[in-house]
């Protein structure tokens, strides 16, 4: 009997994903556990394997960018001896019980009908691309895209699809801004000593294949400061109305990729050396840029750091990586005249920006935390003296 392969539970509470690429096509033969599809979920790309072998007789969602829900039929697999009919089948996974194709009833969820009404789209004129011919949100949106003019009142415009990682980033950022009460504090740190340490060590490490950036030092400084200010290493459990203070330290590190910003997570940073952190940051950054990073390597942060100084930025208001309650932004290191040991000297100065959720902690605690981070960066020896 032909086998209907549905989108399986992807874990982490994920209920839907976006089709990124089919690895097979109708008529191909697949083996059990062979990767047949790439699904883009919450920032990560997940490879979906086939649960059994056979010939692919039908693929139901072919278009890149289509949203499929867990439990929705992706394709049908059959052996040569098994008869397959494309006659409409009944399904209850997405839009409820579906009638036979001969019936002219419009198949669409209430949400799709509402969207069509808002956009003044006639559902009767559409051909559905969903399961059993049901009309999807994308079907409705495509109509509006086609009718959208290529120019506005001031001149020509280009309309780009808002999908993939860009759409996921936007969704996460909007969630963070909507659910937190964010405030940003700023500070400057004289990191001339830290600069000298890095310059002294990086050549030897480069020969070992390790690219030593400032990020491992930033992570260590933050970790030690969090040990004294635990409310910044927390999240909020909205359902229980509780603040969850994390007793472990996982650092999210923002990485710029061709598709947008991704945040791999370095686990248990308190148990790792500067060199181990440097190596792991390097590995995860490559995975993120190649879109080979796994979902669990993007989860579990307790605090995040973003280094926009690499691109020339100075101060900013970084957006919290929800559900964390704080994020540190580091700006461009520049030479500045600075009072050092009572005299004016040219020093290496690092701008720092800390955005925190004011619901969890107050400005006093956040300012003390930022001052502590600054003290570790200005005197890296403290990291060794105060390490547990």
């Amino acid at each position: 009997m032909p086998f209907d392969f549905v989108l399986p539970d992807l874990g982490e509470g994920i209920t839907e994903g976006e089709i990124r690429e089919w690895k097979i096509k109708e008529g191909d033969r697949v083996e059990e556990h062979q990767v047949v599809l790439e699904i883009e979920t919450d920032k990560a790309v997940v490879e979906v394997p086939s649960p059994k072998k056979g010939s692919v007789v039908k693929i139901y969602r072919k278009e890149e960018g289509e949203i499929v829900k867990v439990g929705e039929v992706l394709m049908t697999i059959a052996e040569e001896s098994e008869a397959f009919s494309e006659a409409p089948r009944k399904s209850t996974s997405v839009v409820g019980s579906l009638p036979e194709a001969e019936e002219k009833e419009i198949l669409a969820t209430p949400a799709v009908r509402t969207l069509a009404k808002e956009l003044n789209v006639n559902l009767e004129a559409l051909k559905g691309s969903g399961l059993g011919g049901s009309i999807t949100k994308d079907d409705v949106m495509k109509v509006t895209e086609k009718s959208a003019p290529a120019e506005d009142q001031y001149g020509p415009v280009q309309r780009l699809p808002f999908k993939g990682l860009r759409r996921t980033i936007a969704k996460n950022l909007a969630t963070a801004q909507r659910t937190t009460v964010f405030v940003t504090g700023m500070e400057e740190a004289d990191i001339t000593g830290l600069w000298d340490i890095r310059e002294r060590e990086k050549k030897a490490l480069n020969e070992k294949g390790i690219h030593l950036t400032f990020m491992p030092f930033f992570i260590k400084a933050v970790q030690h400061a969090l040990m004294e200010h635990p409310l910044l290493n927390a999240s909020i459990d909205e359902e229980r109305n509780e603040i969850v203070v994390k007793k472990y330290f996982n650092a999210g590190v923002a990485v710029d990729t061709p598709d947008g910003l991704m945040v791999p997570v370095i686990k248990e940073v308190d148990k790792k050396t500067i060199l181990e952190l440097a190596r792991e940051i390097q590995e995860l950054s490559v995975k993120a840029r190649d879109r080979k990073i796994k979902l669990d390597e993007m989860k579990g942060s307790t605090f995040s750091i973003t280094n926009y100084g690499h691109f020339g930025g100075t101060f900013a208001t970084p957006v919290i990586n929800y559900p964390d309650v704080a994020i540190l932004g580091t700006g461009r290191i520049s030479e500045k005249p600075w009072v050092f040991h009572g005299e004016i000297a040219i020093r290496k100065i690092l701008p720092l920006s800390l955005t925190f959720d004011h619901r969890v902690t107050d400005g006093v605690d956040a300012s003390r935390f930022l001052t502590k981070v600054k003290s570790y960066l200005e005197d890296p020896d403290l990291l060794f003296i105060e390490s547990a």
Side-chain angles (χ1 to χ4, degrees):
M1 181 178 179
F3 174 76
D4 286 338
F5 175 36
V6 302
L7 180 63
D9 184 358
L10 302 174
E12 303 282 352
I14 294 172
T15 59
E16 65 180 24
E18 180 177 317
I19 291 179
R20 181 178 168 85
E21 181 184 4
W22 279 100
K23 300 292 185 183
I24 47 89
K25 60 183 183 299
E26 291 179 358
D28 284 355
R29 184 166 182 81
V30 297
E31 299 297 325
E32 186 177 0
H33 305 310
Q34 176 184 339
V35 174
V36 295
L37 174 66
E38 285 186 349
I39 288 281
E40 185 159 350
T41 63
D42 186 12
K43 290 191 177 183
V45 175
V46 178
E47 293 183 332
V48 180
S50 171
K52 65 177 298 182
K53 67 179 181 180
S55 295
V56 179
V57 294
K58 184 69 177 178
I59 296 176
Y60 298 96
R61 293 299 193 93
K62 299 178 181 179
E63 298 298 325
E64 177 187 342
E66 281 194 86
I67 302 297
V68 290
K69 297 182 181 298
V70 171
E72 192 170 343
V73 179
L74 294 171
M75 66 178 185
T76 297
I77 304 171
E79 293 293 352
E80 292 181 0
S81 58
E82 296 174 327
F84 171 71
S85 171
E86 291 195 40
R89 296 161 299 143
K90 292 182 180 296
S91 170
T92 58
S93 62
V94 180
V95 294
S97 181
L98 302 176
E100 298 299 317
E102 289 73 18
E103 298 179 21
K104 299 301 181 183
E105 183 179 352
I106 298 172
L107 301 178
T109 63
V112 171
R113 293 176 187 275
T114 300
L115 177 65
K117 186 177 181 180
E118 292 174 349
L119 299 177
N120 197 28
V121 173
N122 181 10
L123 290 179
E124 295 181 355
L126 298 186
K127 181 179 180 181
S129 63
L131 184 62
S134 61
I135 299 172
T136 67
K137 287 184 178 179
D138 286 346
D139 294 332
V140 175
M141 294 304 297
K142 284 178 182 176
V143 174
T144 61
E145 290 170 2
K146 289 177 181 176
S147 60
E151 62 179 26
D152 59 20
Q153 58 181 318
Y154 303 107
V157 297
Q158 180 185 15
R159 294 179 179 272
L160 303 175
F162 193 38
K163 64 178 185 178
L165 182 59
R166 190 72 261 161
R167 183 166 60 185
T168 303
I169 290 173
K171 180 181 177 182
N172 292 341
L173 293 177
T175 299
Q177 297 292 67
R178 188 175 58 253
T179 56
T180 64
V181 180
F182 51 93
V183 177
T184 301
M186 300 177 183
E187 185 56 276
E188 288 183 307
D190 175 0
I191 64 163
T192 306
L194 181 59
W195 179 284
D196 293 340
I197 292 175
R198 176 175 173 269
E199 288 298 303
R200 190 167 60 241
E201 303 296 335
K202 71 177 185 182
K203 182 178 179 181
L205 292 174
N206 276 338
E207 293 174 353
K208 296 179 181 178
I210 300 175
H211 179 51
L212 182 62
T213 66
F214 286 105
M215 184 57 75
F217 298 99
F218 297 162
I219 291 175
K220 273 296 176 186
V222 164
Q223 172 231 311
H224 281 74
L226 287 175
M227 294 169 69
E228 297 184 32
H229 301 274
L231 284 178
L232 289 163
N233 195 52
S235 62
I236 292 182
D237 187 332
E238 304 281 359
E239 292 185 1
R240 295 175 177 269
N241 204 28
E242 294 175 342
I243 297 173
V244 183
V245 179
K246 310 296 175 60
K247 300 297 184 181
Y248 51 90
F249 304 94
N250 295 344
V253 178
V255 174
D256 182 53
T257 77
D259 296 316
L261 203 64
M262 302 181 74
V263 188
V265 177
I266 315 294
K267 307 292 196 313
E268 298 184 317
V269 298
D270 53 317
K271 300 177 182 177
K272 295 175 180 174
T273 66
I274 293 289
L275 292 186
E276 289 171 332
L277 292 174
R279 188 179 292 111
E280 193 164 341
I281 292 169
Q282 191 172 327
E283 292 172 355
L284 290 180
S285 297
V286 171
K287 284 185 178 180
R289 293 191 179 98
D290 292 343
R291 304 303 307 273
K292 300 294 184 184
I293 195 164
K294 298 178 181 176
L295 193 58
D296 61 359
E297 293 174 318
M298 301 278 291
K299 297 288 186 179
S301 71
T302 62
F303 188 101
S304 295
I305 303 174
T306 177
N307 178 19
Y308 39 80
H310 182 67
F311 310 104
T314 307
F315 291 104
T317 54
V319 179
I320 293 171
N321 184 29
Y322 185 83
D324 298 349
V325 299
I327 181 172
L328 179 71
T330 56
R332 175 172 53 87
I333 301 169
S334 59
E335 292 187 333
K336 284 188 175 182
W338 202 256
V339 178
F340 181 69
H341 291 170
E343 297 182 353
I344 300 295
I346 301 300
R347 308 289 290 177
K348 305 287 187 184
I349 305 302
L350 170 71
L352 300 170
S353 301
L354 173 72
T355 298
F356 62 95
D357 190 339
H358 214 329
R359 297 177 302 168
V360 177
T361 190
D362 295 326
V364 173
D365 187 44
S367 295
R368 288 173 177 163
F369 168 81
L370 193 54
T371 300
K372 196 66 183 178
V373 172
K374 173 184 173 182
S375 70
Y376 285 122
L377 296 175
E378 291 188 333
D379 187 359
D381 290 344
L382 289 176
L383 294 175
F384 301 101
I385 293 174
E386 298 189 12
S387 289

